[in-house]
Amino acid sequence: MTDFELVSLLREDDHGAYREIYYRYTGLLYAHAFSKLQDRDEAMDVVQEVFSTLWLKRSVIQFQLNISGYLYITLRNRILNIIARKKIQSEYLTSLQSYLNKASADTDFLTRTNQLRSIIEDEIIKMPVRMREVFELSRKNHLSHREIAEKLGISEKTVKDHVNNALKILRLKLGFFNYVIFLIFLKNFF
């Protein structure tokens, strides 16, 4: 069958015509894609996308050239899009690396530390009064459980329970990552 006949059948949803076009052109398109992308998987993916598009748009595509020209142009455009996307990604990664290497990373860290401190303070304020009082004496004033118990006239077990419950609340509210940072930098926050 000629390409013209295959295209006519393809427009009529003929799966056999589609398969014939696929087998006729997939090797050539793959070789071209691989020569440009230098990645076997990526080349096969882009060829598959071209054929998927051909099937999905079979009834609306206007073949002004021949089927091989259409497939080649579609492939070329997709390859150019991939190359442009890779270039943008590369530029972004270079820019990001440059940013991270600058001293402004310290400013960003301080900003995030202040934001985290504010979030922690808000969560501490929301705690029940006695729990908040015990937690602040433990973490801000660095008193032992025994000292807090004596100061407030409660048992050491109650102090321990209040501190543990306060830490559970913070862990839930802050999420695991921020909670770990909170524990590491606890002394710096207060």
Side-chain angles (χ1 to χ4, degrees), residues 66-131:
N66 53 30
I67 187 69
S68 62
Y70 170 81
L71 293 172
Y72 176 78
I73 289 169
T74 303
L75 179 70
R76 182 196 65 196
N77 290 340
R78 292 196 185 254
I79 290 171
L80 290 174
N81 288 342
I82 290 170
I83 292 169
R85 187 173 59 240
K86 283 181 178 181
K87 182 178 179 191
I88 290 169
Q89 288 172 342
S90 175
E91 289 172 357
Y92 175 76
L93 290 175
T94 301
S95 171
L96 180 61
Q97 187 62 44
S98 174
Y99 171 76
L100 292 175
N101 291 337
K102 292 182 181 177
S104 64
D106 292 337
T107 304
D108 183 54
F109 175 77
L110 292 174
T111 301
R112 291 183 190 280
T113 301
N114 289 334
Q115 288 172 342
L116 184 58
R117 180 183 298 138
S118 176
I119 292 169
I120 291 168
E121 286 296 330
D122 289 345
E123 292 305 323
I124 291 172
I125 289 170
K126 293 177 187 175
M127 291 178 184
V129 176
R130 182 60 90 172
M131 182 187 297

Side-chain angles (χ1 to χ4, degrees), residues 2-89:
T2 67
D3 284 354
F4 182 75
E5 292 170 326
L6 289 172
V7 169
S8 295
L9 291 172
L10 178 66
R11 285 190 178 137
E12 296 172 10
D13 301 334
D14 187 308
H15 291 276
Y18 176 76
R19 273 193 302 276
E20 179 62 30
I21 293 169
Y22 179 85
Y23 291 126
R24 191 175 288 183
Y25 292 104
T26 191
L28 295 170
L29 294 174
Y30 173 78
H32 180 72
F34 181 74
S35 73
K36 300 298 181 196
L37 298 172
Q38 296 299 307
D39 182 309
R40 293 181 194 282
D41 293 333
E42 201 168 37
M44 186 52 76
D45 288 346
V46 75
V47 169
Q48 293 301 325
E49 287 176 23
V50 168
F51 281 104
S52 293
T53 301
L54 175 67
W55 179 255
L56 292 173
K57 296 183 176 184
R58 67 193 174 279
S59 61
V60 295
I61 293 174
Q62 298 298 319
F63 296 99
Q64 295 177 4
L65 301 171
N66 53 30
I67 187 69
S68 62
Y70 170 81
L71 293 172
Y72 176 78
I73 289 169
T74 303
L75 179 70
R76 182 196 65 196
N77 290 340
R78 292 196 185 254
I79 290 171
L80 290 174
N81 288 342
I82 290 170
I83 292 169
R85 187 173 59 240
K86 283 181 178 181
K87 182 178 179 191
I88 290 169
Q89 288 172 342

